[in-house]
Amino acid sequence: MNLEQLGQSAQQAAFILSTASTAQKNQALAFIAEELEQHQVQILEANAKDIKAALDGGMSEALVDRLMLNEERLAGIVADVRNVISLNDPVGSEMDSRILENGMRLSRRRVPLGVVGVIYEARPNVTIDIAALCLKTGNASILRGGRETFHSNMALVKVIQIALDKSGLPIASVQYIDKPDRELVAQLLRLDQYVDMIIPRGGAGLHKMCKENSTIPVIIGGFGVSHMYVDLSADLSRALDVVENSKVQRPSACNALDTLLVNELVAEAFLPRLAERLNNSNVTFVADDTAYECLQGKAANLRYAEAGDFDTEWLSYTLGVKIVKDVKEAIQHLRDHNASHSDAILTNDLTSAEYFINGAGSAAVYVNVSTRFTDGAQFGLGAEVAVSTQKLHARGPMGLEELTSYKWVGQADYLIRP
């Protein structure tokens, strides 16, 4: 596989996509949705091969869940594609239009980024999410999924390219690196002549590798320890529902709850009830000394927290628990443990809520809301290409607008500068 040629083809496709009409792009997306439905059997058969290999290789239950496709999930992917069709196309929209004193009309106009390289692991739905969002915003994409999703991704990319061909858009608008060689990833990260942005979707190791080796701007995100603080004023009965949803609704997701912080004045009342609730989901509690005392004899699976546990993104049915004095100590814990993704407070006190919102350095902060809502579809953005936890360009779920840049446009009547 020649990545130089791949990059050249992607750049040429990006030039064509940058001038494609919204109708043309929507037609391509409609064809993708139709082809996904028509090729459902082949896609699920390919995914079954990946699932078998994952199970034979001893992959954890949580990661197998991220990998799995079924009829319901595939229907959800199709619905997401059709939802992207219904969203406004940001390309060409203008911001901050104004008339200067010299008579020039000056504005910023949204434009595609160009070529987006995405390196990701485990989730085959990411292939469709990226393709759909990039196409809608006029960006070409070069994809490199993990070896654990090889058969699924090859089937999905084949469907995408059939749809592109039917729509008259370049097949090279969406390309896939189909070799597992790690050297190809290293080459992609240095393809700055053709690729405009790198988006890694995976664990901290992948993000670190991309950040340290790429000559192309990298969007950092998609992982992070998610916290929830139960305040003194919280409605403890309703808090049980939110904590349970945040932890067990889909524990393998990057926005699932990792660490629960509980005010010391409600811990004895709240934690035994929480243990009773989460024992039904076989959750393992990893507790500091004080929390351990509250949970002992109540939690079916319990151990003392060890060094590094509160810096761990569990991605499983494991929950860290710590007792804190107040909201200020909760915020200090977030700072000490690099909270950057999704963090929440459960409280009926406005002052505590505002302190938490302002103090948390996270991409998404919630008051009396499950952390599981950090998601492009849930935010009404359509699918997402990533969840950014950095502070430049984009933060949180990256939808359509986050896949655009802008250019300055000046218009006047043969104006010259004096």
Side-chain angles (χ1 to χ4, degrees):
M1 173 168 280
N2 187 321
L3 255 65
E4 186 86 9
Q5 292 181 356
L6 204 73
Q8 289 176 353
S9 298
Q11 191 176 72
Q12 291 167 4
F15 290 149
I16 295 172
L17 288 173
S18 67
T19 58
S21 68
T22 300
Q24 286 176 291
K25 294 182 289 187
N26 283 344
Q27 182 65 74
L29 292 171
F31 283 142
I32 289 175
E34 291 173 7
E35 294 296 327
L36 285 170
E37 291 174 331
Q38 292 176 14
H39 290 82
Q40 175 178 283
V41 173
Q42 296 94 317
I43 293 169
L44 295 183
E45 286 177 351
N47 182 251
K49 294 179 182 178
D50 291 330
I51 293 293
K52 182 179 185 305
L55 293 172
D56 291 345
M59 182 181 286
S60 70
E61 180 182 342
L63 291 180
V64 170
D65 178 66
R66 296 176 78 164
L67 171 61
M68 186 186 69
L69 289 177
N70 52 33
E71 290 185 12
E72 181 181 0
R73 289 187 179 181
L74 195 56
I77 292 171
V78 171
D80 285 343
V81 174
R82 291 191 167 125
N83 184 49
V84 172
I85 295 173
S86 70
L87 298 175
N88 291 331
D89 183 354
V91 176
S93 62
E94 290 193 343
M95 305 173 285
D96 304 332
S97 177
R98 61 189 185 275
I99 305 296
L100 303 183
E101 288 184 5
N102 60 16
M104 179 168 61
R105 179 179 178 270
L106 188 65
S107 65
R108 290 186 294 159
R109 183 173 296 182
R110 289 197 181 276
V111 296
L113 294 171
V115 178
V116 179
V118 187
I119 305 167
Y120 54 106
E121 302 168 346
R123 291 182 178 177
N125 65 291
V126 173
T127 302
I128 301 298
D129 289 349
I130 294 163
L133 291 173
C134 284
L135 283 171
K136 181 79 175 195
T137 48
N139 293 294
S141 55
I142 299 175
L143 313 179
R144 203 279 192 179
R147 66 177 66 226
E148 69 279 0
T149 55
F150 175 78
H151 295 96
S152 305
N153 285 336
M154 292 307 297
L156 293 170
V157 171
K158 181 179 178 180
V159 164
I160 292 167
Q161 294 188 337
I162 290 172
L164 287 168
D165 190 46
K166 287 177 66 174
S167 68
L169 292 176
I171 290 178
S173 299
V174 181
Q175 298 181 87
Y176 190 82
I177 299 175
D178 59 6
K179 304 293 184 185
D181 189 350
R182 284 183 174 270
E183 176 57 28
L184 293 176
V185 174
Q187 290 180 35
L188 175 61
L189 294 176
R190 297 190 297 268
L191 213 60
D192 52 275
Q193 185 177 352
Y194 306 108
V195 179
D196 299 284
M197 178 179 286
I198 294 290
I199 301 176
R201 287 190 60 159
L206 173 63
H207 286 257
K208 185 174 185 290
M209 184 269 290
C210 290
K211 184 169 63 173
E212 292 179 351
N213 294 281
S214 179
T215 58
I216 305 164
V218 177
I219 293 289
I220 297 300
F223 67 96
V225 179
S226 292
H227 304 79
M228 182 171 289
Y229 167 60
V230 181
D231 190 36
L232 172 63
S233 65
D235 181 327
L236 299 185
S237 294
R238 300 177 74 187
L240 291 171
D241 295 332
V242 181
V243 175
E244 180 181 35
N245 180 262
S246 298
K247 180 68 251 179
V248 306
Q249 195 259 347
R250 194 170 183 185
S252 63
C254 60
N255 55 18
L257 181 62
D258 298 299
T259 298
L260 180 69
L261 307 172
V262 183
N263 186 287
E264 62 184 6
L265 297 179
V266 298
E268 289 187 7
F270 182 71
L271 286 176
R273 295 173 63 186
L274 180 67
E276 183 180 359
R277 178 77 70 91
L278 295 189
N279 283 342
N280 296 328
S281 299
N282 202 32
V283 169
T284 296
F285 292 87
V286 177
D288 74 348
D289 292 350
T290 310
Y292 191 97
E293 292 179 7
C294 294
L295 290 165
Q296 194 170 22
K298 306 294 183 180
N301 302 294
L302 175 65
R303 69 170 176 84
Y304 283 108
E306 301 172 355
D309 279 341
F310 289 119
D311 296 304
T312 300
E313 183 185 19
W314 297 110
L315 303 175
S316 66
Y317 289 97
T318 302
L319 179 64
V321 185
K322 182 178 181 179
I323 308 300
V324 294
K325 180 180 179 181
D326 53 22
V327 66
K328 292 183 178 180
E329 189 173 325
I331 287 294
Q332 187 60 53
H333 179 94
L334 266 62
R335 291 175 178 169
D336 291 343
H337 297 276
N338 299 313
S340 59
H341 198 293
S342 303
D343 297 288
I345 181 172
L346 304 181
T347 184
N348 287 335
D349 183 277
L350 182 59
T351 301
S352 293
E354 285 300 315
Y355 186 89
F356 191 91
I357 291 170
N358 294 330
S362 322
V365 183
Y366 299 100
V367 177
N368 299 332
V369 178
S370 168
T371 58
R372 287 284 291 118
F373 281 94
T374 309
D375 175 85
Q378 293 294 323
F379 279 15
L381 305 176
E384 69 192 31
V385 71
V387 176
S388 169
T389 56
Q390 64 184 29
K391 296 184 179 180
L392 295 179
H393 174 64
R395 296 195 80 189
M398 292 181 62
L400 297 176
E401 287 191 0
E402 288 72 28
L403 284 172
T404 63
S405 183
Y406 61 85
K407 63 176 64 171
W408 290 96
V409 178
Q411 297 169 296
D413 186 20
Y414 297 90
L415 179 68
I416 62 172
R417 179 171 174 173

